[in-house]
Amino acid sequence: MSSLGRRGIHFFHKRNAANVPADLLEKGQSRVIDASLTLIRERAKLKGELVRALGGSVALTSLLGVPLGHNSSFLQGPAFAPPRIREAIWCGSTNSATEEGQIQILTSHINLSSEHFRCKVVERIKRPTGATDVGDVPVQEIRDCGVDDDRLMNVISDSVKLVMEEAPLRPLVLGGDHSISYPVVRAVSEKLRGPVDILHLDAHLDIYHSFEGNKYSHASSFARIMEGGYARRLLQVGLRSITTEGREQGKRFGVEQFEMRTFSRDREFLENLKLGEGVKGVYISIDVDSLDPAFAPGVSHIEPGGLSFRDVLNILHNLQGNVVAADVVEFNPQRDTVDGMTAMVAAKLVRELTAKISKL
């Protein structure tokens, strides 16, 4: 919580906040939530109109930040990740091309009157795809008003739905800890009116029933997803920190779990996945700690023996399926290297996912 938020709550405690009428507090919280959703709605509407004016896109990625870290069982640094990822995306040390030869055009930065832009598209970009950005859900501002996690999760879900209402936009969510995957997947499934298949890359199962008594813990997000019927098939890849409860929960929900100790045996299957048949599409959730810390040290839970960055790209590039949404979570800038190595890794994951989601 911000220092200002803490001071505000301490002030109310000193003033005997129990005497504040409940309806007064409720109305105030509702105003803040409505204002937050209005900002997301109008940003999404503007970006959707711009994309439709440009034409040619069947699906186009829209970034949505969810800077939430309080459901982490250890460090809360992932709350600071979305702006660091955006900075890395636009870092001058790299370009916007993906490994499959696509160029990512962020519509927020397009000058439609620029003849240079038109010539660049016609002459140099053979397979242009795009991304837009609707900003962040103001998580901390909402929490500072005393909003509980039940309502906060609804705000996140509603924000995702607002993005999806502006066709052809599809959400790519920047976390944040892994608890955000639950409200995001829920929103995607409800909006599409049916379950999705999920490809989940992670060192951990995140399927505890209620980790440390918190049903919204980042270690319980996929239990909530499976209980809600929002996913038909869940594949978890990169696992190397597994408990008995995690295995039992996996069996309960019929989860396909692929551990790093058998990755060499499973590689051919995982690099030729075909998902999404008979459901509404494919959702990809990438926890940055699925990568070995040699490639991504900036995470809260460092687990040696993970996937290489090339392993992850091979899985993504070869995946067959209609990717309808995705998230990149658990990057912790407070543990990153001085030169922002993990931020650059997260940014490249975002670019490659954008290419996977966006369609001409």
Side-chain angles (χ1 to χ4, degrees), residues 304-322:
L307 296 162
S308 73
F309 195 80
R310 182 55 50 191
D311 292 333
V312 172
L313 290 187
N314 287 344
I315 292 170
L316 294 180
H317 289 163
N318 295 323
L319 170 65
Q320 298 180 55
N322 177 28

Side-chain angles (χ1 to χ4, degrees), residues 206-223:
D206 292 353
I207 202 167
Y208 287 92
H209 175 66
S210 182
F211 191 74
E212 296 181 340
N214 180 7
K215 67 179 180 179
Y216 293 126
S217 169
H218 68 159
S220 300
S221 51
F222 288 91

Side-chain angles (χ1 to χ4, degrees), residues 35-90:
S36 302
L37 292 175
T38 296
L39 185 58
I40 297 294
R41 179 186 297 108
E42 295 305 319
R43 282 175 168 171
K45 184 178 294 186
L46 174 61
K47 303 306 172 61
E49 290 171 347
L50 177 55
V51 169
R52 291 189 291 272
L54 288 170
S57 294
V58 175
L60 190 133
T61 304
S62 180
L63 304 183
L64 173 67
V66 183
L68 185 156
H70 66 274
N71 282 321
S72 173
S73 59
F74 182 39
L75 303 176
Q76 299 187 9
F80 303 104
R84 301 289 82 79
I85 296 173
R86 289 186 178 96
E87 287 178 6
I89 289 172
W90 289 104

Side-chain angles (χ1 to χ4, degrees), residues 321-332:
N322 177 28
V323 181
V324 294
D327 65 54
V328 176
V329 298
E330 294 287 355
F331 162 45
N332 185 346

Side-chain angles (χ1 to χ4, degrees), residues 34-194:
D34 289 344
S36 302
L37 292 175
T38 296
L39 185 58
I40 297 294
R41 179 186 297 108
E42 295 305 319
R43 282 175 168 171
K45 184 178 294 186
L46 174 61
K47 303 306 172 61
E49 290 171 347
L50 177 55
V51 169
R52 291 189 291 272
L54 288 170
S57 294
V58 175
L60 190 133
T61 304
S62 180
L63 304 183
L64 173 67
V66 183
L68 185 156
H70 66 274
N71 282 321
S72 173
S73 59
F74 182 39
L75 303 176
Q76 299 187 9
F80 303 104
R84 301 289 82 79
I85 296 173
R86 289 186 178 96
E87 287 178 6
I89 289 172
W90 289 104
C91 179
S93 70
T94 185
N95 58 50
S96 58
T98 72
E99 292 201 358
E100 294 184 313
Q102 297 177 338
I103 304 295
Q104 305 307 312
I105 306 168
L106 195 67
T107 57
S108 305
H109 292 71
I110 289 176
N111 179 357
L112 294 177
S113 64
S114 170
E115 191 64 31
H116 169 70
F117 170 73
R118 292 195 185 95
C119 292
K120 183 178 180 182
V121 171
V122 173
E123 296 176 7
R124 295 181 55 194
I125 304 178
K126 295 182 179 180
R127 294 184 62 205
T129 60
T132 188
D133 192 339
V134 299
D136 291 349
V137 177
V139 171
Q140 194 56 60
E141 289 81 355
I142 294 171
R143 293 191 71 229
D144 283 349
C145 297
V147 173
D148 63 23
D149 264 8
D150 288 333
R151 294 184 73 187
L152 179 59
M153 293 297 162
N154 289 337
V155 172
I156 296 170
S157 291
D158 289 343
S159 299
V160 172
K161 290 178 182 178
L162 289 173
V163 172
M164 296 179 71
E165 285 177 4
E166 295 297 327
L169 301 186
R170 294 184 177 184
L172 199 174
V173 180
L174 309 179
D177 67 44
H178 222 147
S179 67
I180 71 166
S181 292
Y182 164 58
V184 176
V185 172
R186 179 178 66 181
V188 171
S189 176
E190 289 178 349
K191 192 66 178 175
L192 297 177
R193 299 184 179 181

